[in-house]
Amino acid sequence: GSLEGGAPRRLMATDSGGAFVPPDRVVFVRQGALVARRLDRALGALTGDPETLAEGVGWERYGRGGFAVSGSGLVAYRAGGDASRQLTWVDRTGKPLGVVGEPDANDQQYTELSSDGRRVAMQRSVQGNGDIWLLDLLRTGSTRLTFDSADEAAPTWSPDGRQIAFTSNRTGPYNLHVKASNGLGAEER
């Protein structure tokens, strides 16, 4: 869709939502594989052959693919299959570059890479309670951002990385909440 308005146009059918990878690719999950296609912005169309970046990519709830993209073009994905999950860095050709931390059996979902590529926000379910956690990629340590007994999910970074919006059913139906990404002195709304 155009920022100037008008009707959006469907690029293609996929198994998940897509994400833009600078400078000119769109990635999405199709039949369990993380796939990239070139986006011709002048034409508003996908061009060229699909490139498979990774096979066996995991899923999040509500049909969201288990991958995240940073503003610098790095792509991280979560392999599907077993109970333990581990984030894996890949380049644009799909070649694994390394892993982050140890395998985690706490149902990591909704992984979201910060725009500077230094942190990952995610939902982790510990003892059946879904909370938002932050993973520091430089120190490979994680900290819990939310502590409510309700379910919190789908974190999204603000463009400046200072806040994280997420959904929660703490007040009944799911609503949007915002919290400072450092977890200190922040009021949720």
Side-chain angles (χ1 to χ4, degrees):
S2 171
L3 293 177
E4 283 80 39
R9 186 171 54 187
R10 185 178 188 176
L11 295 175
M12 71 177 296
T14 65
D15 297 338
S16 76
F20 181 72
V21 179
D24 64 355
R25 296 285 192 266
V26 173
V27 296
F28 51 89
V29 176
R30 183 172 64 188
Q31 297 178 342
L34 185 61
V35 176
R37 293 276 310 268
R38 185 177 175 277
L39 175 64
D40 185 322
R41 289 190 269 183
L43 294 175
L46 298 176
T47 62
D49 292 328
E51 304 167 63
T52 300
L53 302 180
E55 296 285 347
V57 174
W59 286 91
E60 311 295 343
R61 286 190 224 165
Y62 314 115
R64 182 175 166 186
F67 66 92
V69 176
S70 77
S72 66
L74 289 173
V75 178
Y77 75 92
R78 180 180 50 76
D82 66 22
S84 291
R85 298 173 177 174
Q86 188 169 27
L87 296 175
T88 303
W89 292 106
V90 296
D91 66 16
R92 290 184 178 152
T93 68
K95 177 184 171 190
L97 300 175
V99 296
V100 178
E102 298 297 321
D104 187 350
N106 290 305
D107 196 24
Q108 297 175 351
Q109 295 189 58
Y110 300 106
T111 54
E112 183 76 18
L113 195 59
S114 63
S115 61
D116 64 8
R118 295 179 180 197
R119 295 181 292 170
V120 173
M122 70 181 85
Q123 178 196 34
R124 289 179 72 222
S125 294
V126 178
Q127 297 178 344
N129 184 45
D131 280 298
I132 306 302
W133 289 70
L134 300 178
L135 175 62
D136 185 320
L137 298 174
L138 300 177
R139 296 184 192 94
T140 65
S142 62
T143 56
R144 189 172 172 179
L145 183 68
T146 63
F147 294 86
D148 198 273
S149 61
D151 190 35
E152 285 125 4
T156 301
W157 292 93
S158 64
D160 64 7
R162 292 180 170 187
Q163 295 179 314
I164 295 176
F166 57 93
T167 63
S168 177
N169 62 350
R170 63 178 66 167
T171 58
Y174 279 92
N175 270 317
L176 186 63
H177 297 263
V178 177
K179 188 164 186 168
S181 63
N182 64 8
L184 301 175
E187 287 188 25
E188 296 183 26
R189 5 183 223 279

